[in-house]
Amino acid sequence: MDIRRDFADAVGHTPLIRLQSASRLTGCEILAKCEFANPGGSIKDRTALGLLLDAEKTGALRPGGTIVEGTAGNTGIGLALLGASRGYRTIITMPSTQSKEKIDALRVTGAEIHLVPAVPYANPAHYAHVARRMTEELNAKNPGSAWFANQFDNVANRDFHEATTGPEIFVQTGGRVDGFVCSTGTGGTLAGVGRYLKANKPGVTIALADPAGSALASYVHTGELKAEGNSITEGIGSTRVTANFKDAPIDLAWSIGDDESLPLLHALLAEEGLNVGGSSGVNLAGAIRLARALGKGHTIVTLLADAGTRYQAKIFNPEFLRAKNLPVPVWLDRAFPAASD
């Protein structure tokens, strides 16, 4: 029998799936790690577990303690579910601009949620700073009772992806991976997977797919953090270099607009039955760009980070898309006809 012990033991070992249309289009094998298959529904289950295991090992998080984190949603969901399975209380701060579906998914975990305005990281009201202050206040009342997960600058995030996600990809492809590409928020996945693959296959190409409005592609190209445009995609992109991102071994980087990523995302559902979130569309666009940069016959791996049901009111809402001057596929109009129809 193959039985997992608990929630934590069910994290990872996700399937790798061939993306048919992208593979035909490019003449490459475009493969995607199905991270929506994690028990909490996203790749951030891995991040949450890596941070939590490190905190338990170092004693930063004590039995019966409180987990505090600032998150756009998915890391909070992972932490809250892991916390529930291990006897911890969880407090989450997150921007009020995140999707209602993701906020609701976090609420039902039993976590204590504090919605705060969406402001730049330099602003003291940024959700990460609010979480840090809350941790300090809890520890002032009861020393050692709370732990700030700090997913952006706690390199246990990167190290866990280097120890798990990277090796899984290498084994699943039989070592025949020529390129890896994904978007990034904290930097943990891209840096961790990149470090592992580079160490085991030095010729592999590591690429960043960055949503419009993020400054990271600019940073890779010029060393300057310059953001242009905007995106409806949640949970990825940044205007600062995190500790996790700092040493990521990136060879190529692209800024990808919603007008490029969303049609790919919609087609992935309509043609291949894969209902995934906005970051997965950016990742797929990056995989196609990387395949074209390397040429036919290569094997490219990317990520399907979470499910599209966490963003339905945005990326699968014709009225919302039109309001943003973004393309709406015919099948989506049929599924959600206008109120006047």
Side-chain angles (χ1 to χ4, degrees):
M1 293 186 293
D2 181 13
I3 300 172
R4 304 298 171 89
R5 294 187 306 273
D6 54 17
F7 185 101
D9 199 34
V11 174
H13 305 290
T14 53
L16 197 63
I17 188 169
R18 183 178 191 266
L19 301 184
Q20 304 293 334
S21 180
S23 296
R24 288 193 301 270
L25 178 68
T26 61
C28 288
E29 286 294 292
I30 306 292
L31 310 176
K33 202 74 164 111
C34 296
E35 292 301 301
F36 56 80
N38 280 301
S42 84
I43 192 168
K44 293 298 187 175
D45 288 355
R46 293 183 189 261
T47 299
L49 182 57
L51 295 169
L52 193 63
L53 290 176
D54 181 72
E56 291 177 335
K57 180 180 178 181
T58 62
L61 180 59
R62 302 175 185 177
T66 299
I67 300 166
V68 186
E69 180 61 321
T71 169
N74 282 334
T75 303
I77 292 169
L79 284 169
L81 294 173
L82 280 165
S85 74
R86 297 163 93 91
Y88 302 117
R89 172 192 179 200
T90 305
I91 300 175
I92 299 296
T93 65
M94 68 185 297
S96 58
T97 53
Q98 299 305 292
S99 71
K100 182 180 183 298
E101 296 93 335
K102 198 155 52 172
I103 293 171
D104 288 344
L106 188 49
R107 287 192 192 282
V108 298
T109 65
E112 180 181 321
I113 304 170
H114 297 264
L115 298 178
V116 300
V119 295
Y121 184 79
N123 190 318
H126 186 273
Y127 61 90
H129 302 316
V130 175
R132 185 189 299 274
R133 288 195 299 274
M134 291 181 71
T135 308
E136 293 169 351
E137 291 166 4
L138 289 169
N139 284 329
K141 295 176 182 177
N142 185 4
S145 64
W147 164 67
F148 175 44
N150 193 18
Q151 61 174 322
F152 291 92
D153 293 308
N154 183 344
V155 295
N157 174 354
R158 175 200 68 196
D159 294 346
F160 194 70
H161 284 289
E162 186 172 1
T164 63
T165 320
E168 286 178 33
I169 289 170
F170 196 76
V171 169
Q172 287 173 307
T173 59
R176 293 188 295 275
V177 53
D178 300 302
F180 175 76
V181 57
C182 72
S183 53
T184 189
T186 67
T189 304
L190 184 60
V193 172
R195 284 158 63 102
Y196 180 86
L197 293 181
K198 287 284 190 182
N200 288 272
K201 189 173 183 179
V204 71
T205 300
I206 305 299
L208 165 66
D210 206 30
S214 173
L216 296 179
S218 167
Y219 179 79
V220 171
H221 291 145
T222 67
E224 179 185 2
L225 286 164
K226 184 179 180 181
E228 294 182 352
N230 56 72
S231 173
I232 66 169
T233 304
E234 298 180 18
I236 56 172
S238 182
T239 55
R240 72 182 184 97
V241 176
T242 67
N244 282 295
F245 184 82
K246 182 180 177 183
D247 298 318
I250 301 171
D251 300 300
L252 298 169
W254 300 284
S255 179
I256 294 172
D258 291 340
D259 57 348
E260 179 179 351
S261 66
L262 282 173
L264 295 171
L265 184 76
H266 291 144
L268 202 57
L269 174 54
E271 298 170 9
E272 302 187 46
L274 292 166
N275 183 359
V276 289
S279 66
S280 298
V282 175
N283 290 348
L284 178 52
I288 292 170
R289 289 198 186 202
L290 180 55
R292 287 170 170 161
L294 296 182
K296 293 182 178 180
H298 291 90
T299 298
I300 310 298
V301 177
T302 190
L303 306 170
L304 301 179
D306 63 1
T309 50
R310 289 189 175 168
Y311 313 92
Q312 184 171 323
K314 289 185 178 181
I315 61 177
F316 296 110
N317 180 345
E319 291 184 6
F320 177 86
L321 294 172
R322 286 196 177 90
K324 298 290 185 180
N325 293 315
L326 293 170
V328 179
V330 173
W331 65 265
L332 189 58
D333 257 338
R334 289 199 301 265
F336 296 96
S340 59
D341 290 353

